[in-house]
Amino acid sequence: MGTTANNIRNIAIVGHSGEGKTTLTEAMLFNGGSIERMGKVDNGTTVSDFDAEEIARKMSVSLSLAYTNWKGVKLNLIDVPGFYDFEGEFEEAIRACGAALVVTDANGALTVGAEKAINLCLRDKKPLVVFINGMDKDNADYHGTVRALQEAFKSKIAPIQIPVMEGNKMTGVVNALTGKAYKFSNAGAEEIPVPDEYKRDLETMFLALQETAAENDDVLLEKYFEDGALSREDTIHGIRKGIFSINVIPVMAGSALQNKGVINLMDEIVKYMPEAAERQAQPALDLSKNAVVGIACGDGALAAQVFKTAVDPFVGKMNYLRVNRGTLKTGMTVRNTSTD
């Protein structure tokens, strides 16, 4: 109740197949209280892989929708298949979402699917964040994966976390933007003092983030040249502005399977990803098939976009749509200008 466009985030979860998108969706739903226990892809018990074909293949075939609430914000999640055969599903999701979450494995390289997803998000001007998954694996290589991302996308890549490692396992994170450290626990994550061995890396990363923030705001750039540094508040402002303009791609890490680092990810999505109300005006046709300048988010006559049509053997044809303006209520009759 009381959900408005200001406290909605529409997030497409994309990337290479088999790198944990469905498991990450499951962890987010669990953390938000939408489900009482996390299902598993191998067991066919996840929320988003519900189709019999998906359960049999142990992979996503069609995009699926789910939502949860986190810190007063509704997260609409679109779990998108990663196989190239289902590229149309990606295009449908990108039309509906306001931002994307690109999932890639911590294997020290950049997978083709993740690279393609990032390029398509840049093409369509969708803000995005990269989540390096699989940090619970013995051969996890966070820094190698970050370097691979930086080689492909140069100065756009902005790591905002330093994984806290014990042996080969990730046990917590240091957030370079806030300067705070967290240790993972069964309850989620608890704040701890920044470990001494990570203080130098934290300082180096924060200096890099200040420079990135300054490049995205003329006022901050002038302040940076005058003072030689930016405050944390100014740095956060500049980074968020850079995310909106697709000049900055923040990078985080964790393990979806172990639900480690996912709460931190959800916090950052709420803080940095665009609100539904901030979506750019969408081109549209009026009832006479005349082009209008654009449909902006807000009050007024209903305007929505069908981004996917599916046929269910039990329900029949279903249209998935995103409401851009106004309110859709049960019993309303509306007209699809594309099909009359």
Side-chain angles (χ1 to χ4, degrees):
M1 298 298 293
T3 301
T4 68
N6 298 102
N7 54 12
I8 292 176
R9 310 288 186 273
N10 295 312
I11 309 295
I13 303 178
V14 299
H16 202 82
S17 181
E19 303 212 319
K21 298 183 296 299
T22 297
T23 303
L24 180 59
T25 303
E26 199 77 4
M28 295 172 76
L29 294 176
F30 174 76
N31 292 335
S34 295
I35 55 177
E36 294 183 353
R37 63 187 298 271
M38 286 178 58
K40 294 184 177 180
V41 172
D42 288 343
N43 297 340
T45 54
T46 63
V47 170
S48 53
D49 281 358
F50 57 85
D51 185 81
E53 190 73 16
E54 293 175 317
I55 294 172
R57 291 172 177 262
K58 298 181 180 180
M59 56 175 273
S60 299
V61 172
S62 175
L63 71 79
S64 56
L65 308 176
Y67 79 92
T68 195
N69 290 287
W70 187 251
K71 296 191 173 179
V73 171
K74 183 183 181 186
L75 302 179
N76 287 323
L77 308 174
I78 312 175
D79 182 17
V80 185
F83 265 105
Y84 301 136
D85 300 29
F86 312 118
E87 188 171 341
E89 304 291 323
F90 179 92
E91 296 290 349
E92 292 168 349
I94 286 296
R95 282 201 296 272
C97 74
L101 172 57
V102 178
V103 182
T104 189
D105 197 58
N107 55 14
L110 178 60
T111 56
V112 175
E115 183 175 10
K116 188 172 183 179
I118 293 173
N119 279 322
L120 290 173
C121 289
L122 296 176
R123 177 201 71 183
D124 290 343
K125 295 181 172 53
K126 296 290 182 178
L128 67 151
V129 59
V130 174
F131 182 73
I132 299 177
N133 192 25
M135 289 298 295
D136 56 309
K137 299 177 182 177
D138 290 336
N139 61 346
D141 184 359
Y142 170 79
H143 297 290
T145 307
V146 169
R147 283 194 297 271
L149 285 162
Q150 290 172 330
E151 288 174 8
F153 300 101
K154 311 304 179 190
S155 59
K156 287 184 180 292
I157 299 299
I160 62 173
Q161 281 185 345
I162 305 169
V164 175
M165 308 294 290
E166 290 183 8
N168 293 323
K169 300 295 183 182
M170 181 179 179
T171 60
V173 293
V174 179
N175 188 310
L177 280 174
T178 62
K180 296 179 180 180
Y182 301 89
K183 183 177 180 63
F184 299 146
S185 66
N186 292 331
E190 57 184 63
E191 188 175 341
I192 60 171
V194 177
D196 292 338
E197 61 267 34
Y198 293 99
K199 288 182 178 178
R200 178 176 293 182
D201 289 342
L202 172 61
E203 183 179 353
T204 301
M205 186 175 288
F206 184 59
L207 288 173
L209 288 171
Q210 290 179 60
E211 186 174 336
T212 300
E215 291 171 352
N216 287 283
D217 188 292
D218 291 340
V219 174
L220 294 182
L221 184 61
E222 187 175 335
K223 184 183 292 189
Y224 183 72
F225 282 136
E226 288 180 355
D227 302 339
L230 293 177
S231 66
R232 292 201 180 276
E233 291 75 17
D234 285 341
T235 302
I236 290 172
H237 171 75
I239 292 296
R240 191 173 193 270
K241 194 168 182 179
I243 293 171
F244 271 58
S245 60
I246 331 295
N247 288 325
V248 175
I249 303 174
V251 178
M252 303 182 69
S255 167
L257 186 64
Q258 301 293 331
N259 197 12
K260 305 298 185 185
V262 181
I263 284 178
N264 304 76
L265 172 66
M266 295 170 73
D267 287 341
E268 303 307 308
I269 287 174
V270 167
K271 187 183 299 182
Y272 296 111
M273 290 293 98
E275 303 168 359
E278 294 172 311
R279 192 187 199 198
Q280 295 179 345
Q282 302 298 299
L285 301 177
D286 62 19
L287 295 180
S288 300
K289 299 293 181 70
N290 298 315
V292 294
V293 175
I295 300 295
C297 182
D299 297 327
L302 173 70
Q305 178 189 27
V306 175
F307 63 89
K308 180 180 177 63
T309 298
V311 178
D312 185 281
F314 302 104
V315 181
K317 188 165 79 169
M318 297 187 297
N319 289 316
Y320 295 77
L321 54 86
R322 169 169 175 154
V323 176
N324 288 287
R325 184 185 68 194
T327 304
L328 180 65
K329 297 180 180 179
T330 302
M332 284 178 63
T333 299
V334 298
R335 182 178 178 184
N336 185 335
T337 56
S338 299
T339 62
D340 285 327

